[in-house]
Every structure is written in C-alpha cells, then in structure tokens.
C-alpha cells in the first residue's frame, strides 16, 4: 500500500502550476489531468460520491457517517495548483535525520538552503525533510494538504470502529491566482463547517484574513516634443510618482506586520503619454480597508482637479473579505480544531493570515472555514521543504477533528 510520503512524492512530481492569464476553469490543463488522478485515488480509498465538478474543477468525495448520533458534517479542503514558479521536472529528495546545517540542494549549480537565510531550519534538527533540487518549487503548497486529507480519510475508512459524522473533501484549482473558490458550489458540499489544510508551520490555526482589493490606475498624459513642452506636456512617468506620493508612504508591506494593513504598488508600466499602475490593498479591519480604498478615490480626484482634465482613471475591485467576520459567530469550529491539535500533542499557533485562502470566500458562501497547518515552509520557491513528522501530526489533527464531535 502506498504510504503518505510515497503519495506526496508522486503528486509533487506533477506540474500543476496555475496561469493567471488564462480564462479557462481550471486555468491549466495539467490541473484537469491531476483532478482525474485525485478522483481515481479517492475511489481507490473507497470514498462515496466521488466526482469532478465540471463547472468549477473541484474534486469532491464523501466518507459517510458511521454513527446515528446527531453530529456536524465536516469538510476538508486543499488546492491542486502551485504558485508562479518553475514546476517542471520537480525532483524531490528525502533527508532523514536532518543535522540542522546548511542543505546542499544542487551540487552542480552550487545551490544551498542556508540556515543563515532560513533560521527556521534549525527547528527541524533530527526530523525528516523533503526538499527540492534548487531549480523548482516543491509543490507542498498545497499537495501536502491533499495527501494529509487523503491519509486521514484512509485511516478512518480502515478503522470503522472510530465513529464520525459525514466527512467530505474537496480539492480545487487556481487558489494561487485568487480564483479557486469563485465558483465553489456549497450545494455540492453539504457540511456545517470546513477547514482548508493550507497553512505552513506546525500548529498554525488561522481564522482571520485580510480584506483585499485591487486598484488599477490608468494614466493619461500628453506627449509633445520636449523642446516645446512648456505648459503642454503631461508626463505620465512623473504623474505616477505624484499619484503614489498622495498615498501613505509607511503603509507598505515592508514596514507592516501582524494586524497592520498595507498598500502595495505591484506593477508600474508608464511612458510619457500613458501608463498603468496596479496596486493591492489589504487590511484586517473592514473600516480601515474601506478608508484605504477612499484614499485612492481622493488621490485620483486631486490630480484630475490639479490638471483640469481626467489624467487618472481609477478602477477598484474587491477580491475577498476577512473570514473572521463570519467565523466569530461560529467559534465551535475553532474550538474543535484547538482541541484536536492539543490531543495530537500540537500547541495551537493562532495568528492572522497576512493574505487570504479559499476559506475566505467559502466562509462568506455560508460554510465557516478556518485554515490549518500542513508542515511545509518556504513556500513558492526553490527553498520550500516539508517535514514528514509534522505532516503526520497534521493527519492526526484531521482525524481528531473528524471524530471530535461524536
């Protein structure tokens, strides 16, 4: 029988990188093919009602209740895609009894994961790590979550004396490009609450996310010969600088932490005659979030009035909201997760997510969905690694959640 680690290695070798430029769902054909693999694997585990939802790309499976007691139905969710980094020819390697020193990932290219750069490595001395060859990401985000859910389902299926209510799983596409849960079908997932298994360090339990929006700033200038430009030229290169100076300069990612929100200039493509600036806006507090958006409205108004014409066209778009606004009224799902971790010998590490998860959107669709750890660190790049012992503790946590409310 395939072990959890063997399954993880098999899954990570499959390129499932998503593509923000695509309009299809899923955004890449590799995710479509991977969904078929997951469907077959869930069927092999003996789950019921396994299917691929053709409208949203999610793979759904169910483990029916084996008790007549009135207990909640619980879901577990992970995503199939990996981030925007090389995912071709992934070559994972197992390091047993890690010595706590720098890790040579690729001798030919001289690529190391150095403890000086990644001090958390020191926490893993004596553990079993799975690393990359230094040229790709690993894909533990979120294939670790997928295999942990599968391993927990396998354990429950093979031990029917352990009583539980209805347990469902969902593996979805395109989380990394922010579209994964847009088409999630709550009618297809009849649970009382759920958990995304999509965190990082051991013990993470997260039920607060940012409120998030994007801002696109289109700049409209006037290009003339610089020798005769006085009182005529409007240079969008300078206009971009003017616009950005009207925003709070300390509210940026590199100067904020914990519950502090930020505004980030994500890209800036300008010439003299035209330009486009793209920002992201983040804040845990909804009122502060709305205030940050209004700063953009005010900045556009100031510049348009200053120049006496529309030199700025602003488009604001909300992306997701803080799941805590929903979960605060359903804290039993948090309490169950905390107790499940403690039963597994894991100390809960409760912190806000400085980002979002599929659980953000799914919570607002009516299923409260906190986020739990996977045992993977340094996501989205060549220094990503997974700790096998911590993955095993994630499995125990999932099992404990599934059987907690019996």
């Amino acid at each position: 029988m395939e072990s959890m680690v063997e399954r993880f290695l098999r899954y990570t070798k499959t390129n499932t990188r998503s593509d923000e430029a695509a309009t299809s769902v899923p955004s890449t054909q590799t995710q479509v093919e991977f969904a078929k693999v997951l469907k077959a694997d869930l069927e092999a585990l003996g789950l019921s009602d396994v299917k691929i939802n053709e409208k949203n790309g999610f793979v759904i499976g169910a483990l029916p209740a084996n008790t007549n007691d009135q207990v909640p139905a619980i879901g577990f969710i992970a995503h199939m895609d990996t981030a925007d980094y090389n995912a071709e020819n992934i070559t994972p390697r197992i390091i047993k009894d890690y010595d706590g020193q720098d890790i040579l990932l690729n001798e030919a290219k001289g690529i190391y994961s150095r403890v000086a750069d990644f001090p958390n490595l020191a926490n893993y001395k004596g553990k079993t790590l799975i690393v990359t060859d230094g040229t790709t990401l690993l894909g533990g985000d979120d294939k670790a979550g997928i295999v942990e859910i599968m391993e927990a389902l396998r354990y429950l299926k093979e031990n029917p004396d352990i009583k539980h209510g209805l347990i469902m799983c969902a593996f979805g596409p395109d989380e990394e490009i922010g579209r994964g849960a847009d088409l999630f079908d709550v009618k297809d997932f009849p649970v009382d609450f759920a958990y995304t298994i999509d965190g990082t360090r051991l013990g993470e339990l997260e039920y607060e996310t940012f409120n998030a929006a994007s801002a696109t700033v289109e700049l409209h200038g006037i290009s003339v010969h610089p020798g005769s430009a006085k009182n005529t030229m409007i240079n969008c290169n300078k206009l971009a600088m003017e616009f950005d100076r009207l925003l709070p300069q300390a509210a940026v990612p590199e100067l904020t932490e914990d519950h502090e929100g930020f505004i980030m200039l994500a890209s800036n493509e300008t010439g003299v005659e035209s330009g486009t600036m793209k920002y992201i806006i983040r804040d845990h507090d909804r009122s502060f979030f709305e205030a940050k958006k209004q700063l953009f409205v005010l900045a556009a108004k100031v510049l348009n009035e200053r120049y006496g014409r529309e030199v700025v066209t602003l488009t604001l778009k909300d992306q997701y909201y803080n799941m805590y606004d929903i979960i605060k009224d359903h804290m039993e799902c948090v309490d169950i997760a905390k107790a499940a971790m403690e039963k597994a010998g894991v100390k809960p590490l409760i912190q806000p997510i400085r980002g979002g998860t599929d659980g953000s959107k799914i919570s607002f669709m009516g299923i409260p969905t906190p986020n739990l750890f996977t045992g993977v660190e340094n996501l989205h790049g060549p220094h990503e690694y997974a700790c096998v012992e911590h993955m095993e503790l994630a499995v125990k946590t999932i099992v404990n959640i599934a059987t907690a409310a019996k």
Side-chain angles (χ1 to χ4, degrees):
M1 178 179 295
E2 186 178 47
S3 69
M4 178 189 70
V5 170
E6 290 169 337
R7 187 189 300 275
F8 181 64
L9 296 177
R10 174 163 63 93
Y11 287 175
T12 57
K13 292 176 183 178
T14 301
N15 180 353
T16 56
R17 184 176 177 176
S18 48
D19 181 4
E20 189 170 14
T23 58
S24 59
V25 179
S27 65
T28 52
Q29 185 62 29
T30 53
Q31 292 182 82
V32 175
E33 297 305 317
F34 188 55
K36 296 175 184 177
V37 171
L38 297 181
K39 178 177 182 291
D41 286 356
L42 287 174
E43 290 170 338
L45 289 177
L47 265 67
S48 303
D49 302 321
V50 180
K51 64 179 179 179
I52 299 174
N53 186 314
E54 299 298 336
K55 292 183 179 179
N56 60 26
F58 273 81
V59 184
I60 305 291
L63 183 62
N66 61 3
T67 177
N68 292 322
D69 294 342
Q70 294 297 311
V71 296
I74 303 174
F76 297 97
I77 302 168
H79 63 88
M80 299 184 291
D81 65 318
T82 60
D84 189 19
Y85 193 85
N86 182 27
E88 197 63 49
N89 299 316
I90 295 173
T91 308
R93 177 167 62 93
I94 298 175
I95 300 174
K96 295 183 178 179
D97 194 20
Y98 167 56
D99 62 8
Q101 303 302 308
D102 295 347
I103 300 173
L104 176 60
L105 300 178
N106 192 308
E107 185 174 4
K109 297 180 181 294
I111 301 172
Y112 287 81
S113 285
R114 301 188 185 278
V115 177
D117 297 327
F118 306 104
N120 278 0
L121 278 170
N123 300 328
Y124 294 91
K125 185 176 181 179
K127 304 296 185 184
T128 302
L129 300 184
I130 301 175
V131 300
T132 77
D133 71 352
T135 66
T136 70
L137 47 63
L138 180 62
D141 179 15
D142 189 25
K143 287 168 183 168
I146 293 175
V147 300
E148 288 157 5
I149 293 168
M150 283 201 173
E151 185 68 7
L153 291 170
R154 181 198 62 76
Y155 181 81
L156 292 171
K157 183 69 176 177
E158 293 178 356
N159 293 274
D161 54 311
I162 300 175
K163 301 303 179 184
H164 56 80
L166 172 65
I167 306 299
M168 298 201 67
C169 66
F171 306 135
D174 297 335
E175 191 269 353
E176 297 292 359
I177 59 175
R179 304 203 300 252
D182 288 354
L183 300 177
F184 188 79
D185 187 353
V186 294
K187 294 179 181 178
D188 217 23
F189 206 64
V191 299
D192 296 290
F193 50 84
Y195 302 88
T196 49
I197 312 301
D198 192 22
T200 60
R201 292 180 296 163
L202 177 68
E204 280 185 346
L205 169 55
E206 301 161 323
Y207 51 91
E208 294 182 72
T209 58
F210 280 135
N211 297 288
S214 65
T216 301
V217 180
E218 298 287 346
L219 304 174
H220 316 290
I222 298 175
S223 179
V224 297
H225 191 285
S228 56
K230 186 174 182 179
N231 298 326
T232 302
M233 176 183 284
I234 299 178
N235 186 339
C236 287
N237 294 300
K238 302 289 285 185
L239 189 62
M241 296 166 67
E242 288 186 68
F243 185 92
D244 193 75
R245 281 198 299 268
L246 291 172
L247 301 174
Q249 298 300 296
V252 292
E254 57 267 36
L255 297 176
T256 54
E257 61 183 351
D258 298 328
H259 282 87
E260 297 169 336
F262 62 78
I263 293 168
M264 175 181 169
L265 177 58
S267 66
N268 181 23
E269 299 179 4
T270 57
V272 174
E273 191 169 30
S274 64
T276 302
M277 308 169 73
K278 292 188 176 181
Y279 289 85
I280 61 172
I281 304 166
R282 301 289 189 265
D283 209 296
H284 289 94
D285 185 282
R286 186 64 177 265
S287 62
F288 291 168
F289 172 64
E290 296 297 336
K292 283 181 170 62
K293 290 194 294 182
Q294 286 305 306
L295 291 174
F296 280 79
V297 174
L298 181 59
K301 181 175 183 291
V302 166
L303 290 180
N304 287 337
E305 289 180 352
R306 180 181 299 172
Y307 283 89
R309 58 189 294 151
E310 187 178 10
V311 294
V312 175
T313 302
L314 173 65
T315 302
L316 289 166
K317 181 180 179 181
D318 285 1
Q319 296 169 309
Y320 57 85
Y321 302 110
N322 187 351
M323 65 166 73
Y324 179 69
D325 291 341
I326 300 298
I327 292 177
K328 66 183 180 182
D329 297 322
H330 304 275
M331 290 297 287
E332 67 274 12
C333 61
V334 174
D335 295 337
I336 287 172
K338 288 170 61 178
M341 286 187 189
E342 290 167 350
K343 184 179 179 181
V346 176
K347 181 179 179 181
L349 177 61
I350 299 174
Q351 59 188 18
I353 305 175
R354 289 183 62 78
T357 71
D358 279 346
S360 303
K361 294 178 180 178
I362 293 170
S363 291
F364 279 87
M365 292 175 180
I367 303 175
T369 307
N371 188 49
L372 305 180
F373 72 96
T374 60
V376 179
E377 289 208 54
N378 292 350
L379 312 182
H380 298 185
H383 301 284
E384 183 182 4
Y385 59 89
C387 174
V388 173
E389 290 85 354
H390 292 181
M391 292 176 68
E392 291 169 344
L393 288 171
V395 173
K396 289 182 179 180
T397 298
I398 294 168
V399 170
N400 290 344
I401 289 172
T403 59
K406 60 181 181 292

